[in-house]
Amino acid sequence: MENFFKTLGYVSVGLTLIFLLVRIGYWISANRFRRSAARLTKAQNISLFTPNYTKDEISESLSTYINPDCGQADPSHESDFRHIADIREPIFEALDRFLSHADRKRHILILADSGMGKTSFCINYYNYKRSHMDFFTAIISLSRPNSDKYISDIKNPSSTVLILDALDEDAAALDGAEDRIADLLSKSADFKSVIITCRSQFFRDARSIPKDTGVSVITPRKRSAARTYTLHHLYLMPFSDSQIDQYINKQFPIWNIRNIKRRGLARELVKRVPELSGRPMLLELVPDLIRDESTSKELYDLYSYLVEGWLKREADWISSEKLREVSKDLAVEIHTLSSKGLGDRITRNRLNEIALNVDSAISKWEHLSTRSLLNRDNDGLIKFAHRSVMEYFFVLAAIDGDVRCLDLRWTDVMRDLLVSWGYTQSGVERLSDARRLLKSDLGRTSLIPLSDPPAEPGFVTSTDFQLATERRSSRSGARRIVSRHWRADSLSCQTQSHGLTIVDVECDLEWLLPFAGGDVDAETAGQFQTTVAIHKNAASEQNFRDPSYEELITLVEGLEASGNLQALVLGNLYFIGDVTGERTQLLVEIFSDKPRHNHLRCIDYSRQIYASEHKISVYELSLYRDVEEFHRVKAFPIYVRNLPD
């Protein structure tokens, strides 16, 4: 028995030592990040590190950073972007290889969605390269109005890798990204290499992203080689499952036995809310979400949770409501300044002026906590901790009726937050505010289209029919589909001499129904047209064309939501512009009970339209199969075009 207690004592001492060693390891690691942050802060004074981040911001970025992967495919269009079947590799390794061939590959554009860690990448890669003294590294934030001057002030450009952060926040790029990129690359032509970061949705599509730098190659080159350098593209990938596990393990260290359960809950939460894996900034909320047993599922709810937590932390010196009002005004002011190329921060005096409009007693901004969403940079200027936090408050201001928001160009994140709000309980309860916003003049906001535009006519298969009828239930794509509660308010109908015109701001489409609604009688039957006649008439209408199957589905959804489905003749045929092969023509029938045209060749039968009481069938005519039928069958014409700019 004595030996047992002696052994038990040894085991206890050993476990205590292990516990202490683990804690000491965490303490050493944390201090290492703080020392690195201090060194980087000092580096700002020698013009090699110029974004004016605070030491706390830098330290946090270093301590929580997970080196992401990169790839050459945009992950934002994938239905499950954590399982992209494309080649991916750690971003640091890819850039090291890129820089090792700086004689041929000198310019690279790194693209990623908001909150995926573009600025954190810049800070960490800068810190990583500082330990490799074979060349200098400089960072310049393009959100600052004097960024061009910073470029010209850097010494020894030929031995310096220049990192230009946040092209999408550069006011000069808003009027023409390609021209601004060309200007920046011209100004940085003497640098060893140039790395530019930007939001991927800043460009309309992959074809809009410039590939030619315009910078001449002055080194010897092969006869067939290009005369100018190429602008290479890389996308930051969302975290993989293993990277998410790595982050969760960091947040819930094993020395605390309660963290075993928390790790499991954190993994379940990430599966439930896909934005958490796609945006590391939001992934940092996981520990708090687990502690509070949050059931958040929407992007808007995640930002609300982040903001409400901050408001509560500051409540000992300013009420949550007053701080929220100040933050909304501040967000509109900063976005206005940024849109004019005047930067993304304001002076302390200007903040006091904004606060006075809310409450004359608010003046003690030195009480802001260390985890504040409002920070002071090293120049004493006030800014939001992250651009997307500013965007959240801007959207909140618009929802609450700030008309200034309608005179400014909205970002893709603002659109995402607004659309996500429509799916929340708040969005449903405040439907009148949503309607007021949707009925406003959105011409200057760039919000149209609110959702991913439906595909234009092309070659289709049965899979395309299924995806089109279920698109409103999907969360994939560059822009999410708006809530069904908003659908009715995104359409407007007007009867004119040539038929019914329908404007759909959600999908950026204008419809023309020459013969709208009613039952089919002898007179109506005479209005049917053959496929040849319909195509001929479509060509005579200005920019109008036959719709695609997917476009027609959006029209049915919108008309049903607004109570105007009678504009379509149910149970009768409409021609669409899609094809299944050479010399084919497709027709659709929309009905509530049974299809009427079973005598035609049906290639997609009675498919239920999502969130609708109606169904749709697709019929195929073919010149090769039945020439007489191809020219004999008649249907109602229906035309569509993109809304004029």
Side-chain angles (χ1 to χ4, degrees), residues 145-179:
N146 53 353
S147 58
D148 287 3
K149 182 178 182 301
Y150 278 125
I151 295 176
S152 61
D153 285 348
I154 293 176
K155 300 176 181 179
N156 303 317
S158 61
S159 56
T160 300
V161 172
L162 177 62
I163 302 176
L164 300 175
D165 186 29
L167 174 70
D168 54 286
E169 299 177 30
D170 187 338
L174 296 178
D175 296 326
E178 189 168 355
D179 290 341

Side-chain angles (χ1 to χ4, degrees), residues 471-634:
R471 71 191 299 265
R472 193 160 296 278
S473 63
S474 173
R475 297 187 65 173
S476 63
R479 299 176 185 170
R480 187 179 178 189
I481 304 300
V482 302
S483 165
R484 61 184 177 84
H485 299 289
W486 291 11
R487 192 66 180 101
D489 298 291
S490 61
L491 264 71
S492 60
C493 304
Q494 184 176 2
T495 302
Q496 299 181 357
S497 59
H498 56 282
L500 180 66
T501 299
I502 302 172
V503 174
D504 184 354
V505 297
E506 179 190 340
C507 300
D508 191 33
L509 295 175
E510 180 181 359
W511 293 86
L512 174 60
L513 281 64
F515 310 107
D519 296 326
V520 178
D521 52 25
E523 181 180 356
T524 308
Q527 297 169 351
F528 281 19
Q529 299 181 16
T530 65
T531 176
V532 175
I534 287 178
H535 290 325
K536 181 179 179 180
N537 291 336
S540 65
E541 298 289 349
Q542 187 176 9
N543 297 323
F544 278 97
R545 55 174 170 77
D546 295 331
S548 69
Y549 177 89
E550 187 171 335
E551 288 171 331
L552 187 58
I553 289 294
T554 66
L555 178 64
V556 174
E557 292 174 345
L559 290 175
E560 184 160 5
S562 61
N564 292 312
L565 193 59
Q566 71 275 6
L568 296 176
V569 183
L570 299 182
N572 288 278
L573 298 174
Y574 287 96
F575 280 117
I576 59 176
D578 294 311
V579 296
T580 55
E582 188 177 358
R583 301 294 183 92
T584 60
Q585 175 67 64
L586 299 185
L587 307 91
V588 298
E589 176 188 2
I590 302 159
F591 53 93
S592 57
D593 187 16
K594 295 180 181 179
R596 298 180 181 178
H597 301 275
N598 294 329
H599 59 285
L600 298 176
R601 182 172 184 266
C602 184
I603 61 172
D604 197 72
Y605 181 76
S606 295
R607 190 175 293 280
Q608 187 76 44
I609 300 175
Y610 179 78
S612 169
E613 298 178 356
H614 294 84
K615 300 177 182 179
I616 185 169
S617 287
V618 183
Y619 305 99
E620 182 188 67
L621 303 179
S622 173
L623 268 175
Y624 294 128
R625 188 175 57 252
D626 192 330
V627 175
E628 182 180 351
E629 180 183 63
F630 188 90
H631 290 287
R632 183 185 70 250
V633 174
K634 295 182 178 182

Side-chain angles (χ1 to χ4, degrees), residues 124-403:
N124 281 271
Y125 190 68
Y126 175 84
N127 184 52
Y128 164 73
K129 296 309 294 183
R130 287 183 75 251
S131 61
H132 301 72
M133 299 306 295
D134 49 341
F135 53 80
F136 296 108
T137 309
I139 302 179
I140 294 175
S141 176
L142 295 176
S143 65
R144 304 302 298 273
N146 53 353
S147 58
D148 287 3
K149 182 178 182 301
Y150 278 125
I151 295 176
S152 61
D153 285 348
I154 293 176
K155 300 176 181 179
N156 303 317
S158 61
S159 56
T160 300
V161 172
L162 177 62
I163 302 176
L164 300 175
D165 186 29
L167 174 70
D168 54 286
E169 299 177 30
D170 187 338
L174 296 178
D175 296 326
E178 189 168 355
D179 290 341
R180 179 54 173 161
I181 289 177
D183 179 53
L184 288 170
L185 294 180
S186 175
K187 287 180 169 63
S188 57
D190 294 333
F191 283 82
K192 178 180 177 65
S193 291
V194 181
I195 300 170
I196 304 175
T197 70
C198 183
R199 285 183 181 177
S200 53
Q201 292 183 9
F202 185 66
F203 299 97
R204 182 177 179 87
D205 50 45
R207 291 171 294 185
S208 304
I209 305 174
K211 296 179 175 59
D212 185 11
T213 65
V215 179
S216 300
V217 177
I218 57 176
T219 56
R221 58 186 176 84
K222 296 180 179 179
R223 184 185 299 266
S224 59
R227 296 178 178 273
T228 57
Y229 289 104
T230 298
L231 180 60
H232 299 271
H233 307 155
L234 282 179
Y235 292 89
L236 287 184
M237 296 287 109
F239 282 165
S240 64
D241 289 340
S242 61
Q243 288 168 326
I244 292 172
D245 281 342
Q246 185 182 354
Y247 180 86
I248 290 174
N249 293 341
K250 271 190 172 185
Q251 294 295 320
F252 301 102
I254 201 169
W255 54 263
N256 187 338
I257 194 170
R258 290 179 298 178
N259 284 342
I260 296 176
K261 179 180 179 181
R262 290 171 179 170
R263 287 184 177 188
L265 292 174
R267 294 185 182 99
E268 289 298 320
L269 178 62
V270 171
K271 289 181 181 179
R272 189 173 75 237
V273 188
E275 284 89 354
L276 289 172
S277 61
R279 298 180 178 181
M281 188 200 79
L282 295 179
L283 194 59
E284 295 176 4
L285 296 176
V286 165
D288 292 335
L289 290 167
I290 293 299
R291 183 194 64 230
D292 293 345
E293 299 180 353
S294 172
T295 57
S296 298
K297 294 183 180 180
E298 287 297 328
L299 179 66
Y300 182 89
D301 281 337
L302 292 176
Y303 277 94
S304 295
Y305 180 88
L306 172 67
V307 166
E308 291 304 317
W310 171 56
L311 298 178
K312 290 178 182 177
R313 290 194 298 273
E314 309 292 346
D316 58 341
W317 68 275
I318 182 173
S319 72
S320 296
E321 187 58 36
K322 290 178 181 178
L323 183 53
R324 183 184 292 106
E325 290 301 312
V326 171
S327 299
K328 289 191 301 182
D329 283 348
L330 179 60
V332 176
E333 171 116 351
I334 284 181
H335 188 54
T336 301
L337 292 173
S338 179
S339 300
K340 296 178 180 178
L342 300 177
D344 61 349
R345 52 202 77 190
I346 63 171
T347 64
R348 169 75 173 274
N349 289 337
R350 180 54 187 153
L351 175 59
N352 286 333
E353 292 174 4
I354 293 173
L356 287 175
N357 293 327
V358 176
D359 190 328
S360 59
I362 304 175
S363 60
K364 301 177 181 179
W365 296 104
E366 65 273 7
H367 292 311
L368 287 171
S369 65
T370 56
R371 295 177 62 194
S372 175
L373 297 183
L374 281 178
N375 293 336
R376 289 184 294 271
D377 66 18
N378 289 345
D379 293 334
L381 299 176
I382 303 296
K383 68 184 185 68
F384 283 98
H386 193 275
R387 179 175 172 82
S388 60
V389 175
M390 178 276 290
E391 291 164 315
Y392 168 82
F393 277 114
F394 181 92
V395 171
L396 201 58
I399 292 171
D400 289 340
D402 192 328
V403 295

